[in-house]
Amino acid sequence: MAARRSRSMLCCALAFLVACSALHAAFVTPSGKTLHGSQASLNSQAGIVAAGAIMVLPEAAQARLPEEFVIFAPIVDVLPSIPFFFLLLAFLWQASVGF
């Protein structure tokens, strides 16, 4: 049973390596040619994105809820922390059942 399982794992690993080597040839750039996303264009795009974020940041800090939703402001203040509590709950659950 163990020999059959190790043989099937070996076949799967070999098939994975063959598939990776076949895909490697498909994504290699020809020598002497650059891709459209070369480093120089990526740096200029990153600068544009950073400038846009700096321009929008003060407006985002001043954002307010519309008048009809102001009564829910305390709830809205707590909502961003809920995913963090789910993460802590997952660790608590794992600790209770034993990793």
Side-chain angles (χ1 to χ4, degrees), residues 75-92:
I75 297 171
V76 172
D77 292 338
V78 173
L79 286 178
S81 63
I82 290 177
F84 177 71
F85 290 122
F86 276 106
L87 178 71
L88 292 179
L89 181 64
F91 280 109
L92 180 68

PDB file of all heavy atoms in Angstrom, residues 75-92:
ATOM      1  N   ILE A  75     -21.325  52.387  14.468  1.00  0.00           N
ATOM      2  CA  ILE A  75     -21.220  51.046  13.884  1.00  0.00           C
ATOM      3  C   ILE A  75     -20.189  51.049  12.764  1.00  0.00           C
ATOM      4  O   ILE A  75     -19.371  50.133  12.636  1.00  0.00           O
ATOM      5  CB  ILE A  75     -22.596  50.586  13.370  1.00  0.00           C
ATOM      6  CG1 ILE A  75     -23.578  50.473  14.537  1.00  0.00           C
ATOM      7  CG2 ILE A  75     -22.492  49.253  12.643  1.00  0.00           C
ATOM      8  CD1 ILE A  75     -24.997  50.248  14.119  1.00  0.00           C
ATOM      9  N   VAL A  76     -20.211  52.088  11.939  1.00  0.00           N
ATOM     10  CA  VAL A  76     -19.280  52.185  10.817  1.00  0.00           C
ATOM     11  C   VAL A  76     -17.839  52.282  11.320  1.00  0.00           C
ATOM     12  O   VAL A  76     -16.922  51.773  10.691  1.00  0.00           O
ATOM     13  CB  VAL A  76     -19.656  53.389   9.919  1.00  0.00           C
ATOM     14  CG1 VAL A  76     -18.602  53.644   8.866  1.00  0.00           C
ATOM     15  CG2 VAL A  76     -21.012  53.161   9.284  1.00  0.00           C
ATOM     16  N   ASP A  77     -17.635  52.882  12.469  1.00  0.00           N
ATOM     17  CA  ASP A  77     -16.290  52.984  13.026  1.00  0.00           C
ATOM     18  C   ASP A  77     -15.752  51.624  13.461  1.00  0.00           C
ATOM     19  O   ASP A  77     -14.544  51.385  13.444  1.00  0.00           O
ATOM     20  CB  ASP A  77     -16.270  53.941  14.215  1.00  0.00           C
ATOM     21  CG  ASP A  77     -16.520  55.373  13.798  1.00  0.00           C
ATOM     22  OD1 ASP A  77     -16.293  55.688  12.614  1.00  0.00           O
ATOM     23  OD2 ASP A  77     -16.935  56.178  14.653  1.00  0.00           O
ATOM     24  N   VAL A  78     -16.639  50.706  13.846  1.00  0.00           N
ATOM     25  CA  VAL A  78     -16.227  49.393  14.335  1.00  0.00           C
ATOM     26  C   VAL A  78     -16.077  48.386  13.193  1.00  0.00           C
ATOM     27  O   VAL A  78     -15.289  47.443  13.290  1.00  0.00           O
ATOM     28  CB  VAL A  78     -17.250  48.886  15.375  1.00  0.00           C
ATOM     29  CG1 VAL A  78     -16.970  47.456  15.790  1.00  0.00           C
ATOM     30  CG2 VAL A  78     -17.257  49.794  16.591  1.00  0.00           C
ATOM     31  N   LEU A  79     -16.781  48.572  12.096  1.00  0.00           N
ATOM     32  CA  LEU A  79     -16.809  47.579  11.026  1.00  0.00           C
ATOM     33  C   LEU A  79     -15.433  47.188  10.472  1.00  0.00           C
ATOM     34  O   LEU A  79     -15.221  45.999  10.204  1.00  0.00           O
ATOM     35  CB  LEU A  79     -17.709  48.076   9.883  1.00  0.00           C
ATOM     36  CG  LEU A  79     -19.212  48.026  10.168  1.00  0.00           C
ATOM     37  CD1 LEU A  79     -19.975  48.588   8.981  1.00  0.00           C
ATOM     38  CD2 LEU A  79     -19.673  46.628  10.463  1.00  0.00           C
ATOM     39  N   PRO A  80     -14.481  48.080  10.285  1.00  0.00           N
ATOM     40  CA  PRO A  80     -13.192  47.635   9.735  1.00  0.00           C
ATOM     41  C   PRO A  80     -12.429  46.669  10.623  1.00  0.00           C
ATOM     42  O   PRO A  80     -11.559  45.950  10.142  1.00  0.00           O
ATOM     43  CB  PRO A  80     -12.398  48.939   9.577  1.00  0.00           C
ATOM     44  CG  PRO A  80     -13.431  49.987   9.471  1.00  0.00           C
ATOM     45  CD  PRO A  80     -14.566  49.530  10.333  1.00  0.00           C
ATOM     46  N   SER A  81     -12.727  46.591  11.896  1.00  0.00           N
ATOM     47  CA  SER A  81     -11.993  45.690  12.782  1.00  0.00           C
ATOM     48  C   SER A  81     -12.589  44.286  12.825  1.00  0.00           C
ATOM     49  O   SER A  81     -11.978  43.384  13.409  1.00  0.00           O
ATOM     50  CB  SER A  81     -11.948  46.273  14.191  1.00  0.00           C
ATOM     51  OG  SER A  81     -13.256  46.380  14.709  1.00  0.00           O
ATOM     52  N   ILE A  82     -13.732  44.060  12.215  1.00  0.00           N
ATOM     53  CA  ILE A  82     -14.387  42.748  12.284  1.00  0.00           C
ATOM     54  C   ILE A  82     -13.543  41.636  11.651  1.00  0.00           C
ATOM     55  O   ILE A  82     -13.426  40.556  12.236  1.00  0.00           O
ATOM     56  CB  ILE A  82     -15.804  42.825  11.686  1.00  0.00           C
ATOM     57  CG1 ILE A  82     -16.687  43.636  12.630  1.00  0.00           C
ATOM     58  CG2 ILE A  82     -16.395  41.444  11.448  1.00  0.00           C
ATOM     59  CD1 ILE A  82     -18.092  43.844  12.136  1.00  0.00           C
ATOM     60  N   PRO A  83     -12.922  41.821  10.473  1.00  0.00           N
ATOM     61  CA  PRO A  83     -12.088  40.727   9.943  1.00  0.00           C
ATOM     62  C   PRO A  83     -10.954  40.326  10.872  1.00  0.00           C
ATOM     63  O   PRO A  83     -10.595  39.147  10.943  1.00  0.00           O
ATOM     64  CB  PRO A  83     -11.542  41.299   8.624  1.00  0.00           C
ATOM     65  CG  PRO A  83     -12.540  42.317   8.230  1.00  0.00           C
ATOM     66  CD  PRO A  83     -13.051  42.902   9.514  1.00  0.00           C
ATOM     67  N   PHE A  84     -10.392  41.258  11.595  1.00  0.00           N
ATOM     68  CA  PHE A  84      -9.333  40.940  12.556  1.00  0.00           C
ATOM     69  C   PHE A  84      -9.868  40.007  13.640  1.00  0.00           C
ATOM     70  O   PHE A  84      -9.190  39.059  14.046  1.00  0.00           O
ATOM     71  CB  PHE A  84      -8.783  42.229  13.164  1.00  0.00           C
ATOM     72  CG  PHE A  84      -7.738  42.007  14.205  1.00  0.00           C
ATOM     73  CD1 PHE A  84      -6.485  41.561  13.851  1.00  0.00           C
ATOM     74  CD2 PHE A  84      -8.023  42.223  15.542  1.00  0.00           C
ATOM     75  CE1 PHE A  84      -5.512  41.354  14.816  1.00  0.00           C
ATOM     76  CE2 PHE A  84      -7.063  42.012  16.499  1.00  0.00           C
ATOM     77  CZ  PHE A  84      -5.806  41.575  16.134  1.00  0.00           C
ATOM     78  N   PHE A  85     -11.097  40.231  14.085  1.00  0.00           N
ATOM     79  CA  PHE A  85     -11.673  39.362  15.104  1.00  0.00           C
ATOM     80  C   PHE A  85     -11.950  37.966  14.559  1.00  0.00           C
ATOM     81  O   PHE A  85     -11.842  36.976  15.276  1.00  0.00           O
ATOM     82  CB  PHE A  85     -12.939  39.992  15.682  1.00  0.00           C
ATOM     83  CG  PHE A  85     -12.652  41.194  16.530  1.00  0.00           C
ATOM     84  CD1 PHE A  85     -13.199  42.418  16.221  1.00  0.00           C
ATOM     85  CD2 PHE A  85     -11.818  41.112  17.631  1.00  0.00           C
ATOM     86  CE1 PHE A  85     -12.938  43.532  16.992  1.00  0.00           C
ATOM     87  CE2 PHE A  85     -11.537  42.218  18.414  1.00  0.00           C
ATOM     88  CZ  PHE A  85     -12.096  43.427  18.092  1.00  0.00           C
ATOM     89  N   PHE A  86     -12.303  37.857  13.277  1.00  0.00           N
ATOM     90  CA  PHE A  86     -12.467  36.531  12.679  1.00  0.00           C
ATOM     91  C   PHE A  86     -11.138  35.792  12.626  1.00  0.00           C
ATOM     92  O   PHE A  86     -11.086  34.576  12.832  1.00  0.00           O
ATOM     93  CB  PHE A  86     -13.081  36.633  11.278  1.00  0.00           C
ATOM     94  CG  PHE A  86     -14.568  36.720  11.300  1.00  0.00           C
ATOM     95  CD1 PHE A  86     -15.202  37.919  11.028  1.00  0.00           C
ATOM     96  CD2 PHE A  86     -15.343  35.616  11.592  1.00  0.00           C
ATOM     97  CE1 PHE A  86     -16.577  38.008  11.052  1.00  0.00           C
ATOM     98  CE2 PHE A  86     -16.715  35.685  11.619  1.00  0.00           C
ATOM     99  CZ  PHE A  86     -17.336  36.886  11.352  1.00  0.00           C
ATOM    100  N   LEU A  87     -10.046  36.496  12.358  1.00  0.00           N
ATOM    101  CA  LEU A  87      -8.730  35.879  12.370  1.00  0.00           C
ATOM    102  C   LEU A  87      -8.393  35.365  13.767  1.00  0.00           C
ATOM    103  O   LEU A  87      -7.920  34.231  13.931  1.00  0.00           O
ATOM    104  CB  LEU A  87      -7.672  36.878  11.906  1.00  0.00           C
ATOM    105  CG  LEU A  87      -6.242  36.380  11.904  1.00  0.00           C
ATOM    106  CD1 LEU A  87      -6.042  35.363  10.791  1.00  0.00           C
ATOM    107  CD2 LEU A  87      -5.282  37.531  11.782  1.00  0.00           C
ATOM    108  N   LEU A  88      -8.650  36.173  14.777  1.00  0.00           N
ATOM    109  CA  LEU A  88      -8.401  35.724  16.150  1.00  0.00           C
ATOM    110  C   LEU A  88      -9.294  34.553  16.528  1.00  0.00           C
ATOM    111  O   LEU A  88      -8.860  33.634  17.236  1.00  0.00           O
ATOM    112  CB  LEU A  88      -8.616  36.886  17.117  1.00  0.00           C
ATOM    113  CG  LEU A  88      -7.603  38.019  17.028  1.00  0.00           C
ATOM    114  CD1 LEU A  88      -7.973  39.106  18.026  1.00  0.00           C
ATOM    115  CD2 LEU A  88      -6.205  37.517  17.280  1.00  0.00           C
ATOM    116  N   LEU A  89     -10.530  34.566  16.044  1.00  0.00           N
ATOM    117  CA  LEU A  89     -11.444  33.462  16.317  1.00  0.00           C
ATOM    118  C   LEU A  89     -10.940  32.168  15.692  1.00  0.00           C
ATOM    119  O   LEU A  89     -11.068  31.092  16.291  1.00  0.00           O
ATOM    120  CB  LEU A  89     -12.845  33.796  15.789  1.00  0.00           C
ATOM    121  CG  LEU A  89     -13.925  32.755  16.029  1.00  0.00           C
ATOM    122  CD1 LEU A  89     -14.173  32.590  17.516  1.00  0.00           C
ATOM    123  CD2 LEU A  89     -15.195  33.142  15.309  1.00  0.00           C
ATOM    124  N   ALA A  90     -10.341  32.249  14.516  1.00  0.00           N
ATOM    125  CA  ALA A  90      -9.794  31.048  13.882  1.00  0.00           C
ATOM    126  C   ALA A  90      -8.670  30.459  14.723  1.00  0.00           C
ATOM    127  O   ALA A  90      -8.589  29.233  14.913  1.00  0.00           O
ATOM    128  CB  ALA A  90      -9.291  31.386  12.482  1.00  0.00           C
ATOM    129  N   PHE A  91      -7.784  31.308  15.260  1.00  0.00           N
ATOM    130  CA  PHE A  91      -6.715  30.802  16.115  1.00  0.00           C
ATOM    131  C   PHE A  91      -7.273  30.228  17.416  1.00  0.00           C
ATOM    132  O   PHE A  91      -6.789  29.215  17.924  1.00  0.00           O
ATOM    133  CB  PHE A  91      -5.699  31.900  16.416  1.00  0.00           C
ATOM    134  CG  PHE A  91      -4.732  32.123  15.303  1.00  0.00           C
ATOM    135  CD1 PHE A  91      -4.804  33.273  14.539  1.00  0.00           C
ATOM    136  CD2 PHE A  91      -3.758  31.184  15.019  1.00  0.00           C
ATOM    137  CE1 PHE A  91      -3.912  33.483  13.507  1.00  0.00           C
ATOM    138  CE2 PHE A  91      -2.852  31.383  13.987  1.00  0.00           C
ATOM    139  CZ  PHE A  91      -2.942  32.532  13.234  1.00  0.00           C
ATOM    140  N   LEU A  92      -8.283  30.853  17.961  1.00  0.00           N
ATOM    141  CA  LEU A  92      -8.899  30.333  19.184  1.00  0.00           C
ATOM    142  C   LEU A  92      -9.516  28.969  18.940  1.00  0.00           C
ATOM    143  O   LEU A  92      -9.382  28.057  19.747  1.00  0.00           O
ATOM    144  CB  LEU A  92      -9.953  31.331  19.687  1.00  0.00           C
ATOM    145  CG  LEU A  92     -10.693  30.948  20.955  1.00  0.00           C
ATOM    146  CD1 LEU A  92      -9.728  30.972  22.130  1.00  0.00           C
ATOM    147  CD2 LEU A  92     -11.844  31.898  21.191  1.00  0.00           C
TER     148      LEU A  92
END
